[in-house]
Every structure is written in structure tokens, then in C-alpha cells.
Amino acid sequence: MWHDLVVVQIPIVEKVLRTIAVYALILVLFRVAGKRGLAGLNTFDMVVVFLLSNVVQNAVIGNDNSLLGGAIGAVTLVAVNSAVTRWLARDPRAARLLEGTPTTVVRDGELVPGALRELALRPSELEHAVRVQNGDDLSDVARARLEPDGQLLVTLRAAERSATRGDVEELRRRLDTIERLLTDLGRRP
């Protein structure tokens, strides 16, 4: 029993190389699948993620079911992901290549032709994102773009934006000025 737990049944270098190769493959697959795959996982996306992990499991572990072999695979996966994340943070060209660039989907309240089709987004998903970000509908949007990480950033038209603390303070100052003027007018004979 102890033998099966701690003795790695394939060479450690092979285990590390298998893990890196599968990581790279999945990275490429998600890059090809596009930003929409990260925008929000629906039921179908979740099924794919669960099945994908099962499909590549044997490619990562090979003929090794040992605890130590699994630990080596897990450590390799986390280390490679950490290295790639740090690389992307330092190198904008690598980030553009591996992550892509933002895609504008709404400009001046109108859908950008072909953008939703290119990203495989449904209008209802876009409308929901606008409502979540305090807009009523697409006509309220100055610009919306889907970021490489799958987040939809919506910029509402100036008239549709919520008031900021600065806006409220400015109104308070103006009201104070009006009150002083009214008080002064009330004191005059």
C-alpha cells in the first residue's frame, strides 16, 4: 500500500513535461475559443470544463496513480500558471498574443456590426450586463467592450451615470449659496 502512495510510477521529468504540455494545449484551446468563453460560464460551458478536466487527466498523470505523482503534477501546474501570469504582467506583447485585445460591442448606444457574432454573445447577455452596470438598455451606453479576460466593461452616457460624491458635494455647495442669497434677500427691507 505505501509503495503505491509514494513511488512515482513514471519518470518525474515525464510527469512535469506532460503537465506543461497539457497546460499549453488548454491555454491554446481557450485562446482559440475566444473571450466569450471567459465572459460568464453558462451550463454548457461548465459541462465542457468538467469534461475537459476528465479528458486530460490521463494525459497529465500517465500510468501513475501515486499520491506523490499527483502532487508533482499539481505543483507543476501551479508553478507554470504562476510563471505565465507573471510573464503576462511584465510583457504587454505576450499578453496581447496570449490573451487578445478588447472588442468594442456597443458604440453610442448601437451594437457594433458583427461584434456579437464574432464573440458568440447573445443580445440578451449584453443587455443583462448593461442592466447589471446600472443602465436601462443599450441606448444608455456610450461604449461597451469585452475585455480579454471576459469582463464586459460598460461606460454609460454622461446623462445616465449615477451621481458621484463630488456631484453631491457640488450640489450641496450650490444649495448653500442659494440659501444664503435667499436669507440675505429676506433680510432686506
Side-chain angles (χ1 to χ4, degrees):
M1 174 178 102
W2 290 105
H3 181 267
D4 291 340
L5 285 176
V6 295
V7 174
V8 180
Q9 297 156 0
I10 64 173
I12 292 175
V13 172
E14 180 183 340
K15 172 140 330 257
V16 169
L17 290 176
R18 283 171 168 271
T19 304
I20 292 170
V22 170
Y23 179 87
L25 173 67
I26 291 175
L27 184 69
V28 168
L29 288 174
F30 274 104
R31 177 66 175 101
V32 169
K35 294 173 251 197
R36 194 248 176 261
L38 302 174
L41 297 177
N42 61 31
T43 304
F44 303 110
D45 298 327
M46 292 299 290
V47 168
V48 168
V49 169
F50 286 132
L51 291 177
L52 186 60
S53 65
N54 193 44
V55 166
V56 300
Q57 175 185 354
N58 289 337
V60 172
I61 65 170
N63 292 327
D64 182 5
N65 291 320
S66 68
L67 179 63
L68 187 56
I72 291 168
V75 168
T76 301
L77 191 57
V78 170
V80 168
N81 189 60
S82 178
V84 168
T85 301
R86 291 172 193 274
W87 176 41
L88 295 178
R90 282 191 223 119
D91 188 348
R93 290 176 298 162
R96 248 187 333 275
L97 175 68
L98 294 178
E99 293 178 337
T101 57
T103 302
T104 300
V105 292
V106 177
R107 189 178 292 118
D108 296 324
E110 300 289 327
L111 290 174
V112 173
L116 293 184
R117 187 173 47 254
E118 175 188 329
L119 298 168
L121 279 174
R122 295 187 309 267
S124 61
E125 292 173 306
L126 186 57
E127 290 164 0
H128 174 73
V130 168
R131 285 191 302 276
V132 165
Q133 296 186 41
N134 297 324
D136 291 326
D137 56 42
L138 292 181
S139 65
D140 294 345
V141 177
R143 179 177 165 192
R145 69 181 195 202
L146 189 62
E147 295 294 318
D149 66 358
Q151 278 195 320
L152 184 68
L153 297 181
V154 175
T155 304
L156 297 176
R157 295 176 191 251
E160 303 300 330
R161 293 184 195 152
S162 300
T164 65
R165 287 184 182 171
D167 295 335
V168 172
E169 282 303 313
E170 176 63 24
L171 285 174
R172 190 172 282 139
R173 281 192 296 274
R174 287 182 178 183
L175 284 172
D176 288 344
T177 302
I178 292 170
E179 282 180 352
R180 279 194 303 276
L181 289 171
L182 290 173
T183 302
D184 291 347
L185 281 174
R187 291 183 187 157
R188 289 187 186 168

